Amino acid sequence: MLRDSKFANLFFNEQYEIQHKLLNVIVISGIIGMILALIFQFVMHFNTTINYIVAICLVLCIFVLLLANIFKHPQLAAIILSIGVNNFFMPVCFLFSGGIESGMPLWIVLGIIFSSLVITGKKAILIFIINITGFISVLIFSFIHPEFVHPMATMKDEIIDIGSTVIIVSLIMCVVLMYNNNAHKKQKK
């Protein structure tokens, strides 16, 4: 039933390359993860700046879905998403949500891994180097200028943030890897 739906045809068309389908799985999973994170942050009364940043990132993800699926530019969409999220949104979130003492390092790792799954060729290597350089830069910056890192209010907040991040990131990774495994099984048939 889902295979024949407009949703499946738009995002998981059989004619799409595996990287295009993975991009869609990743972005849709990321949108769901960001919505869950927004709800969680709102309930926990975390820094409201993060909510604005996540909301802007949601808009970027919607733009990427349109670019990849309506305008048929999945590689460009993947590059825009990777650079936008990994080199702008993640570093800002890192600084505003506790830095190294938060769940942000896991989100950054997730972003870097996903970039390597959906970007092909020499572009993938270049984007990987840009992403790693961005992460190292924010680490060095936060070490040199700790006054720019907004710590969480309590240890309880840190534990809740890290715990919820582990759960959400794990769920997203499981969905993506399960989809990837199923796609490879179908390809072998």
Side-chain angles (χ1 to χ4, degrees):
M1 181 171 173
L2 183 62
R3 274 188 216 177
D4 299 328
S5 73
K6 289 180 182 179
F7 176 85
N9 191 44
L10 179 62
F11 297 113
F12 305 105
N13 190 309
E14 291 298 322
Q15 296 170 347
Y16 291 166
E17 292 183 15
I18 189 71
Q19 289 86 4
H20 187 162
K21 292 177 188 178
L22 277 173
L23 175 67
N24 288 333
V25 169
I26 290 164
V27 173
I28 292 168
S29 299
I31 288 171
I32 293 167
M34 283 185 273
I35 290 170
L36 291 173
L38 276 172
I39 292 168
F40 181 77
Q41 290 174 8
F42 180 76
V43 169
M44 293 302 296
H45 306 289
F46 284 166
N47 189 322
T48 55
T49 304
I50 296 299
N51 292 338
Y52 295 124
I53 294 166
V54 172
I56 292 168
C57 195
L58 276 170
V59 172
L60 176 65
C61 286
I62 292 167
F63 170 75
V64 163
L65 280 178
L66 292 172
L67 184 61
N69 299 292
I70 303 296
F71 298 104
K72 307 298 185 209
H73 295 290
Q75 280 296 288
L76 178 60
I79 290 168
I80 290 170
L81 181 70
S82 178
I83 291 174
V85 170
N86 294 334
N87 295 101
F88 294 102
F89 293 112
M90 294 282 198
V92 172
C93 287
F94 181 88
L95 295 172
F96 276 92
S97 66
I100 201 74
E101 295 175 349
S102 71
M104 281 311 301
L106 282 174
W107 285 110
I108 292 169
V109 168
L110 184 70
I112 293 169
I113 290 170
F114 283 168
S115 296
S116 67
L117 290 175
V118 297
I119 300 171
T120 59
K122 292 179 183 177
K123 295 175 288 204
I125 296 167
L126 178 63
I127 297 301
F128 177 80
I129 292 168
I130 291 169
N131 289 338
I132 292 295
T133 302
F135 179 59
I136 292 170
S137 297
V138 78
L139 283 176
I140 292 169
F141 180 82
S142 67
F143 179 75
I144 294 171
H145 297 286
E147 66 274 13
F148 287 103
V149 177
H150 298 257
M152 298 210 178
T154 66
M155 173 82 75
K156 177 183 169 188
D157 291 344
E158 289 176 12
I159 291 169
I160 292 170
D161 181 62
I162 293 168
S164 65
T165 300
V166 168
I167 292 167
I168 294 169
V169 167
S170 297
L171 285 171
I172 292 170
M173 280 301 299
C174 286
V175 167
V176 169
L177 292 174
M178 288 178 357
Y179 178 81
N180 194 34
N181 287 338
N182 287 334
H184 282 293
K185 284 179 187 176
K186 283 182 184 178
Q187 218 173 27
K188 285 183 180 181
K189 289 182 181 180

